[in-house]
Amino acid sequence: MMDNLRAAANHVALKIILGLIVLSFVLTGVGNYLIGGSNDYAAKVNGQEISRGQLEEAVQSQRSRLQQQLGDQFAALAGSEGYMQQLRQQSLGNLIDVTLLEQYSKKLGVTVSDQQIKDAILATPQFQTNNQFDNAKYLQTIQGMGYTADNFAQLMKRQLISQQLAQAYGESDFVLPVETKAMSELLLQEREVHTATFDTAALAAKQQASDSEVQAFYDQHKNGFIAPEQLKVSYIEMDATAMLSKTPVNDADVNAYYDQHKNEFGQPERRRYSVIVTKDQASAQAIADQLKKGADFAQLAKAKSIDSLSGKKGGDLGWMEPETTLPEFKNANLTSKGQTSDVIKSDSGFFILRLNDIMPEQVKPLAAVRSSIVDKLKQEKALDAYYALQQKVSDAASNDNESLASAEQVAGIKASHTDWFTEQNIPAAINFKPVVQALFDGSLIGHDGAPSSNSDVITVDGDRAFVLRVNEHKPAGIKPFAEVKAQVTELVKRQKAEDQARVDAQKLLTALQAGKGDDALKAAGLSFGDVQKVQRSARPSDFEQNVYALPQPTADKASYGVSQDAKGNSVVIKLTAVNQGKLPDAEAAQFNQELQQTSSNNTFDALLGNLRQQAKIKFGNAAQNQ
């Protein structure tokens, strides 16, 4: 047991269960570990209860994570009772593993001081701002998880205990250099082979298939000849973009829009002000008196204004439009260039204002903006007409559910018609997700399989809409024998050819192993091809697996075997050489670490298995209830 634990330090599952155990406890409610549960529990592990509440929180947490990862796909999984029960059992299994590991830590007497807990919290990146511990952030984070500082300290204590457990027994794990060398040579090994192939397609062309054989094959494999659901559809398409060219815009419309929206085609009146700002009214009044005696406004602004930004510019505030002009400026009622206000009180102090200049409203002439107005009016009218047409067509299609004739009449166009199609080959003109969903959800087909009602108006991207009707319907079902007889005949011939190829390949293999290969190859009309160099891949094919299953050849005798290639042909393999792989020195350290990781994985699995085997685990009602 102790040796098993030494190898577990780097195990991925250990990092999840122990290295991040604080998260596991947060999500599953560590408080319930400290409080006795009721009779309605999920499990008892060596007498320690895992409550229904802990399990429900763990399941919900796992649901939330899966929903974030899978998005809309999770909705389909969540609708499966079997899948959700499996998720529930996995969550309970994780809770049991965490409990077993916590109990084992206590048994070994692994302890943590208060100072270690404090140091760990201070060093947690999630609680830091600019690499410094942020107490407000820390409290906000743990409170968001529903825990007090004391409770969270207990969680951190369990995490540190688990980490010490891993460190205490994981550091001594090692893999010998000779093991690294042997494993690298094996994994990087290259095998030289030659192949002779029995061409199944050529053999199939020579086969015969009787009517009884074909019928029997069809009867045994009917589920392999399923015809998917098929439809013939009529549809009316409404397209707002297409209606633009049919939408007239006259001069009266353009003139009216221009007159009503002149502010869109020009620059409103702008005014340029200068200001002198003071802290008190007496200072402002003194400056106003100097201005009345002819003092220079800009010089006084530079010398007296407490608004340094405008003061440096002689009080100049630049051009202002009506919507950006302060109410105090407007209330000053300055109407002519050079006019100066009296002292004005504001929230920011006291100021004196001068109107420097006025730029009258400027509007672009109609001729310059006519084309843009026409385009805008066409779009607006086309959309209005489009939505009005939608309503008319919808009403007509609803009132006359026997055909699209009434809808055609109000739309002013004839419906389009498709040929037979399936859900896998939708005609491009109607290949939109909302349309496909409406066609194949069964709502447009009656209980007897006959066409039912017209669809509602179905809108799709790009200001387009459809009204559809299913004209003819073929439900999914087994294709009749007469329809697939030719296909079944070829399959029977193919099966016979594959059987013959396997038999012939085995006969040739026997002859080769008996030293009679030349005559057997000649009789089969085959010969071995050029050398092929085969290496192990991450997902080996059957051919690769069979090549590496062959015994190593000797200096004067090849090894032989039989396999199949990707085309289903039977292949006789001649193994002539095995070249051991060599790991580059630069990669040796990393490879050794990966071997150590693999060793730790295996021993940690054994540790958890032993803990489970020795534990007394009793499941309660909550383990099964949904």
Side-chain angles (χ1 to χ4, degrees):
M1 177 72 71
M2 302 291 280
D3 290 337
N4 288 340
L5 187 56
R6 290 191 185 97
N10 292 323
H11 193 292
V12 173
L14 185 63
K15 292 178 181 178
I16 296 173
I17 297 175
L18 294 180
L20 299 178
I21 199 170
V22 64
L23 178 61
S24 300
F25 278 110
V26 167
L27 294 175
T28 57
V30 70
N32 290 321
Y33 278 97
L34 309 176
I35 302 173
S38 66
N39 292 331
D40 187 21
Y41 57 87
K44 286 185 178 179
V45 182
N46 295 323
Q48 182 173 336
E49 181 177 300
I50 298 174
S51 70
R52 173 187 288 274
Q54 289 174 263
L55 177 57
E56 297 301 340
E57 289 185 39
V59 171
Q60 185 57 45
S61 174
Q62 182 68 355
R63 281 178 60 102
S64 299
R65 287 195 293 272
L66 288 172
Q67 194 164 14
Q68 289 180 352
Q69 294 171 2
L70 302 177
D72 294 340
Q73 297 177 5
F74 180 70
L77 294 174
S80 168
E81 182 177 349
Y83 178 82
M84 296 310 297
Q85 182 62 30
Q86 182 182 5
L87 184 146
R88 187 179 185 85
Q89 294 304 317
Q90 289 175 345
S91 299
L92 180 56
N94 291 337
L95 289 176
I96 291 172
D97 289 342
V98 169
T99 306
L100 288 170
L101 290 169
E102 183 197 23
Q103 291 173 350
Y104 191 64
S105 301
K106 291 179 178 178
K107 182 179 179 181
L108 296 179
V110 178
T111 61
V112 171
S113 68
D114 291 342
Q115 185 61 43
Q116 286 175 295
I117 297 172
K118 181 179 178 181
D119 292 342
I121 292 175
L122 292 175
T124 302
Q126 288 82 359
F127 304 148
Q128 295 179 356
T129 301
N130 297 326
N131 296 322
Q132 296 293 323
F133 178 73
D134 186 332
N135 190 62
K137 189 174 184 180
Y138 160 67
L139 293 174
Q140 181 181 8
T141 301
I142 65 172
Q143 288 170 2
M145 296 186 293
Y147 289 90
T148 65
D150 289 341
N151 286 340
F152 188 79
Q154 291 297 319
L155 305 183
M156 185 62 73
K157 182 176 182 179
R158 282 172 169 77
Q159 181 193 24
L160 294 174
I161 290 174
S162 300
Q163 288 176 348
Q164 285 193 14
L165 184 67
Q167 292 170 2
Y169 296 101
E171 292 178 352
S172 61
D173 191 42
F174 64 92
V175 176
L176 295 172
V178 65
E179 294 178 290
T180 301
K181 182 176 182 295
M183 184 60 71
S184 65
E185 288 178 349
L186 179 62
L187 292 177
L188 298 176
Q189 185 186 96
E190 179 184 81
R191 295 196 163 200
E192 297 182 5
V193 301
H194 305 259
T195 60
T197 302
F198 288 89
D199 189 343
T200 304
L203 292 173
K206 301 176 182 178
Q207 299 295 325
Q208 299 294 321
S210 66
D211 288 345
S212 60
E213 289 175 323
V214 175
Q215 182 68 57
F217 187 95
Y218 172 79
D219 291 340
Q220 294 173 11
H221 302 88
K222 283 184 177 180
N223 289 336
F225 304 101
I226 300 295
E229 182 181 16
Q230 297 182 69
L231 303 176
K232 276 187 176 181
V233 171
S234 296
Y235 64 91
I236 296 174
E237 179 181 0
M238 293 161 280
D239 187 344
T241 303
M243 298 176 74
L244 281 174
S245 59
K246 304 175 184 178
T247 303
V249 175
N250 55 42
D251 290 342
D253 294 332
V254 174
N255 292 335
Y257 186 91
Y258 179 77
D259 291 339
Q260 295 171 14
H261 301 84
K262 283 187 176 181
N263 60 324
E264 297 178 8
F265 307 113
Q267 179 71 52
E269 179 187 82
R270 295 193 295 171
R271 295 190 172 203
R272 189 162 191 163
Y273 293 97
S274 290
V275 69
I276 300 174
V277 184
T278 65
K279 290 182 178 180
D280 55 75
Q281 186 171 4
S283 299
Q285 188 59 54
I287 293 172
D289 293 340
Q290 293 181 59
L291 289 172
K292 290 178 181 178
K293 295 176 181 179
D296 185 87
F297 192 98
Q299 292 299 323
L300 286 175
K302 291 179 181 180
K304 303 290 187 179
S305 181
I306 63 172
D307 181 8
S308 59
L309 187 62
S310 62
K312 292 178 181 179
K313 302 177 183 179
D316 185 25
L317 297 173
W319 290 102
M320 295 183 181
E321 296 183 358
E323 59 268 22
T324 60
T325 302
L326 295 174
E328 293 93 334
F329 287 24
K330 294 179 180 179
N331 294 336
N333 294 321
L334 301 180
T335 58
S336 58
K337 296 179 184 179
Q339 186 178 359
T340 303
S341 71
D342 294 328
V343 175
I344 299 173
K345 183 180 179 180
S346 72
D347 294 338
S348 57
F350 296 84
F351 63 85
I352 301 167
L353 191 66
R354 185 179 71 176
L355 177 59
N356 296 329
D357 201 357
I358 300 175
M359 185 179 294
E361 177 184 12
Q362 297 177 345
V363 180
K364 294 179 181 179
L366 176 59
V369 297
R370 179 180 177 80
S371 61
S372 63
I373 294 176
V374 169
D375 291 342
K376 186 175 184 64
L377 289 175
K378 276 191 173 185
Q379 290 177 355
E380 292 178 353
K381 286 192 171 187
L383 280 176
D384 290 342
Y386 168 70
Y387 292 123
L389 179 62
Q390 271 194 43
Q391 188 61 51
K392 290 180 181 179
V393 171
S394 176
D395 292 342
S398 300
N399 294 332
D400 179 8
N401 249 324
E402 299 300 320
S403 72
L404 289 179
S406 297
E408 287 177 320
Q409 186 174 1
V410 298
I413 56 174
K414 289 292 184 181
S416 300
H417 308 281
T418 72
D419 200 350
W420 288 108
F421 64 90
T422 69
E423 195 168 0
Q424 285 68 47
N425 64 335
I426 308 294
I430 58 172
N431 193 6
F432 300 94
K433 185 176 180 179
V435 172
V436 175
Q437 184 175 350
L439 288 174
F440 287 92
D441 67 3
S443 61
L444 303 183
I445 300 170
H447 296 296
D448 57 356
S452 181
S453 59
N454 300 326
S455 75
D456 295 328
V457 172
I458 303 170
T459 58
V460 300
D461 294 338
D463 291 326
R464 301 168 74 182
F466 294 86
V467 170
L468 308 107
R469 180 176 183 80
V470 174
N471 295 329
E472 296 184 67
H473 171 249
K474 291 181 182 178
I478 297 173
K479 295 179 181 179
F481 175 71
E483 184 178 331
V484 297
K485 182 178 180 180
Q487 179 186 356
V488 176
T489 300
E490 293 303 315
L491 289 173
V492 171
K493 291 181 179 180
R494 175 77 186 190
Q495 186 179 71
K496 284 186 171 184
E498 289 179 355
D499 293 341
Q500 180 186 332
R502 279 192 290 268
V503 171
D504 292 345
Q506 287 296 330
K507 288 180 179 178
L508 177 56
L509 175 62
T510 301
L512 289 168
Q513 292 173 335
K516 303 175 181 178
D518 292 341
D519 292 339
L521 283 167
K522 185 176 181 180
L526 298 176
S527 62
F528 283 110
D530 295 336
V531 65
Q532 302 177 40
K533 295 185 177 182
V534 180
Q535 288 185 316
R536 298 179 189 270
S537 61
R539 296 182 179 179
S541 63
D542 290 341
F543 177 77
E544 289 177 24
Q545 291 179 1
N546 287 325
V547 166
Y548 275 89
L550 293 175
Q552 295 197 20
T554 61
D556 58 348
K557 187 176 181 181
S559 291
Y560 297 97
V562 172
S563 184
Q564 278 193 317
D565 63 14
K567 297 180 180 179
N569 299 315
S570 290
V571 179
V572 178
I573 305 168
K574 178 182 179 181
L575 174 62
T576 56
V578 174
N579 305 315
Q580 300 298 344
K582 179 173 174 55
L583 185 69
D585 293 340
E587 300 177 15
Q590 180 180 352
F591 185 73
N592 182 271
Q593 185 177 3
E594 291 174 355
L595 284 183
Q596 182 173 322
Q597 175 78 53
T598 301
S599 175
S600 296
N601 291 350
N602 294 333
T603 52
F604 183 71
D605 290 339
L607 167 64
L608 275 178
N610 288 337
L611 289 176
R612 275 181 169 268
Q613 186 175 10
Q614 296 173 11
K616 294 181 180 179
I617 301 175
K618 181 180 179 181
F619 294 99
N621 293 333
Q624 298 296 330
N625 293 346
Q626 297 296 317

